[in-house]
């Protein structure tokens, strides 16, 4: 059983399981799937300020907080029980290209060569971790939701704004990965 869980699941199993969350949430309680809204719920519950954006009945959305808690606990269980002790398998062409940017350590899911406390205080690390994190948060708020909310829930509900947001996410991702990231990594 552990071997089954540690291997990547094929798309024809994982895709339908993810896709079935949409009708399940709609049938069970007319709920929308999305992760970024949980931060709003946390702020509304923990900061009793007089900010209109946080003045709503967040207790109706406690299921979303439990869902995010489940993701967090699941991640802890996965890293402690199901982690693979072997280095990440990287395509040799990608490893060669990354080596040009000084990324040679593939022991973790995230390259330690650029994602560590020491790198945070360099221009490259600051751009990747701080500016990139801000842009993700800003984009999520500007788009009215995250990729999971738009691409999974919004598209399945045939919402035009979700189609526009998902196409924009994809175009932005292609531009970032192919044009901007190489410039940042070469700093």
């Amino acid at each position: 059983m552990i071997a089954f869980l540690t291997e990547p699941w094929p798309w024809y199993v994982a895709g339908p399981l993810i896709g079935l969350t949409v009708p399940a949430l709609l049938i069970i309680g007319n709920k929308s799937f999305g992760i970024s809204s949980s931060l709003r719920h946390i702020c509304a519950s923990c900061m009793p300020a007089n900010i209109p954006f946080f003045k709503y009945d967040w207790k109706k959305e406690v299921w979303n907080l439990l869902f995010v808690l489940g993701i967090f606990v699941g991640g802890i269980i996965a890293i402690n029980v199901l982690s693979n002790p072997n280095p990440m398998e990287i395509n040799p062409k990608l490893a060669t290209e990354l080596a040009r940017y000084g990324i040679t350590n593939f022991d973790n899911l995230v390259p330690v060569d650029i994602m560590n406390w020491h790198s945070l205080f360099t221009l490259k690390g600051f751009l990747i971790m701080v500016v990139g994190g801000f842009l993700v948060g800003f984009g999520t708020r500007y788009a009215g939701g995250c990729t999971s909310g738009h691409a999974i829930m919004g598209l399945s509900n045939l919402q035009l704004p979700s189609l526009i947001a998902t196409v924009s996410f994809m175009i932005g991702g292609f531009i970032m990965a192919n044009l901007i990231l190489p410039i940042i990594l070469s700093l």
Side-chain angles (χ1 to χ4, degrees), residues 4 8-20:
F4 171 74
W9 290 10
W11 65 267
Y12 52 84
V13 174
L17 285 175
I18 293 170
L20 288 174

Side-chain angles (χ1 to χ4, degrees), residues 170-183:
M170 295 302 294
I171 291 171
F174 291 138
I175 291 170
M176 180 64 194
N178 294 296
L179 301 176
I180 300 172
L181 187 61
I183 294 169

